[in-house]
Amino acid sequence: MMISRFPVMTLSAALVLVLSQAQAQTRPAGQTPQSTADPYANNPDAGRMQFPLAAPAGKDSGAITKALPNGVNQGLIDETTWKYGPAYDLPAGESKIWNPVKLKMMRGEKVTGGTVFASDDPSTYCAMANAGYDFIWTEMQHDSRDWENVAKMWRSCPHAKAVPGARVAYADEREIQHAMDAGALVIIIPTVRTVKEGIEGRNWTYFPPLGHRSQGGGPAFDPDMWGSVPGGYRNTINDNVVLIEMIETVNGVKEAREIAGIKGVDAVFAASGDLGNFSGYKQGTPDYERLINAVHDAAIAAGKRLCGPFAWRDRPDFTCFQAGSETAAIARGVAAELGTLKDTQGKPEVGPYATKK
């Protein structure tokens, strides 16, 4: 016996209608729909638009080699010779920097990043973001959280004192664009071994013409995050995002000068732990310190900022630092609060809390 599908389809349609009405009722009067990267999303003119420059129906227009009247780009369509247009140029008088981390870096001031490593709880993230750091280093290289949870954390307090940032897993389109679309204003790329990797990291961080990032939408475009910044998010983010590339391997040190010189890279990070891991030498030994000094020299030569662990805050020319994690901050905060009362728990003679012998 065949069961009719029409009641199910009717129910689905009714459910969509109810949800749409509910969303309309919960949106404050006069509020525009949520902004997106798509200029034609929710277009009220659909079905009424005219396309005077469209190719004729059913015919080859020859557009691959033939320019339209008044077109800037003539001849064969070729990305290597394409003259980029002015559609996303900054409006006159609206080129001021709105990312406070970028502003401090441009001034040569010291910048600190607090690390959110273990938690995906919005309350914990917001506590760290309002604790006094310049940006939050959300750890995505060595933690198992996903981008959905990161987006929820960042959206829970989008304008906290510290701007959202992430150390992505590697120089990858998916990783970096997920971070940028979620609203990252600081991107840290680990283990950059070659100039090619450094360029890939740059390409996915920036919109054209500097990079290859596509307009995927996401929380970054929302008015509650960066959608309402002066000049608009798409037009201004290339001037406001901070890109830090980490030098952690011996070959990365070898190519550090070229990596630091990549246009769009704001700083290089001398990785204190992994430069020891990949070299086999500990901090303080001549071979280890030589590697750190070579990264230092690369940053100085390129006129870029030099980053490292917070313990190096007084090391010459270091102005950008990764501070401790949320778990370390909790431990330090409790120690400061309790003073001599810290770790003075009672010691019963029996049970799981008994003093171990």
Side-chain angles (χ1 to χ4, degrees), residues 136-296:
I136 295 298
W137 174 307
T138 306
E139 179 57 42
M140 298 298 287
Q141 181 191 18
H142 292 295
D143 190 80
S144 60
R145 69 166 69 86
D146 59 31
W147 286 109
E148 181 180 5
N149 290 337
V150 171
K152 289 179 180 177
M153 289 196 301
W154 292 355
R155 293 188 73 170
S156 62
C157 51
H159 301 153
K161 294 178 181 178
V163 307
R167 175 162 71 173
V168 297
Y170 52 105
D172 171 76
E173 178 178 6
R174 180 187 185 277
E175 288 295 300
I176 298 172
Q177 291 204 153
H178 271 65
M180 292 300 297
D181 289 348
L185 294 184
V186 179
I187 294 290
I188 306 104
I189 302 177
T191 55
V192 178
R193 298 171 176 85
T194 64
V195 175
K196 181 180 178 181
E197 287 184 28
I199 292 173
E200 284 295 289
R202 186 277 310 280
N203 284 346
W204 303 123
T205 301
Y206 288 88
F207 283 127
L210 181 57
H212 297 165
R213 181 187 171 195
S214 65
Q215 289 209 73
F221 291 84
D222 292 349
D224 289 341
M225 287 201 78
W226 321 124
S228 58
V229 296
Y233 175 79
R234 170 59 180 85
N235 296 45
T236 63
I237 187 59
N238 274 14
D239 288 332
N240 281 276
V241 65
V242 170
L243 176 60
I244 302 170
E245 299 204 342
M246 299 187 71
I247 308 299
E248 309 192 64
T249 68
V250 174
N251 200 75
V253 174
K254 177 185 176 184
E255 300 197 21
R257 285 182 180 250
E258 291 76 15
I259 293 169
I262 296 170
K263 185 177 181 180
V265 171
D266 294 286
V268 288
F269 191 110
S272 58
D274 261 324
L275 274 173
N277 174 47
F278 284 103
S279 71
Y281 294 94
K282 292 185 177 181
Q283 182 173 336
T285 62
D287 291 272
Y288 176 95
E289 297 298 331
R290 179 186 178 188
L291 296 174
I292 302 299
N293 289 345
V295 179
H296 164 276

